[in-house]
Amino acid sequence: MKSTICPKYEAAFSLLGKRWIGMIIKVLFDGSCRFKDLNERIPNISQKVLAERLKELEGCGLIQRECGDEKPVKIIYSLTQKGRDLQLVLEAVGTWAENWMNQSDQH
């Protein structure tokens, strides 16, 4: 009998497998960031895609967006507990990548 892929597992990989998602989360493991800081720390991501990914991550509860009271408005992004719970998972992926990924393996 064939086993089927769990829908929750499939949903997790559908989200985490999107380009830039893992890198955004990894940067936020170091602490809260403003949009411009995220954009500077993730080479080659466009502002449009970064904005889309941040909205998506906020929508699924992995990050939170906080607006400061000062002018101009300062918006800070940080991980929620749900997002922080991915740290061991992404560290394991990083270890695997260091051991097994070569430049020639990348697209």
Side-chain angles (χ1 to χ4, degrees):
M1 178 178 184
K2 285 186 181 179
S3 67
T4 59
I5 301 291
C6 170
K8 289 181 180 182
Y9 186 87
E10 182 180 356
F13 268 96
S14 290
L15 174 65
L16 297 175
K18 284 188 179 176
R19 187 160 190 199
W20 307 113
I21 292 282
M23 287 175 263
I24 293 168
I25 294 169
K26 182 167 179 17
V27 168
L28 291 174
F29 285 147
D30 294 337
S32 301
C33 282
R34 293 174 65 185
F35 183 93
K36 72 175 196 71
D37 299 325
L38 284 163
N39 195 232
E40 289 171 3
R41 291 190 59 194
I42 303 170
N44 303 318
I45 190 171
S46 72
Q47 289 186 359
K48 178 184 178 210
V49 172
L50 178 57
E52 289 171 0
R53 294 298 186 260
L54 288 170
K55 284 180 187 167
E56 193 170 3
L57 289 166
E58 184 180 10
C60 65
L62 292 174
I63 66 170
Q64 59 189 9
R65 179 180 184 266
E66 298 173 49
C67 298
D69 293 333
E70 61 272 340
K71 301 266 186 207
V73 175
K74 187 176 181 181
I75 298 172
I76 303 289
Y77 295 92
S78 59
L79 292 170
T80 61
Q81 184 60 49
K82 184 177 179 181
R84 285 190 300 273
D85 280 352
L86 285 167
Q87 189 157 4
L88 292 176
V89 173
L90 294 183
E91 285 175 356
V93 170
T95 299
W96 179 87
E98 285 292 321
N99 290 333
W100 294 101
M101 294 298 292
N102 298 315
Q103 288 289 68
S104 62
D105 294 334
Q106 298 173 14
H107 309 144

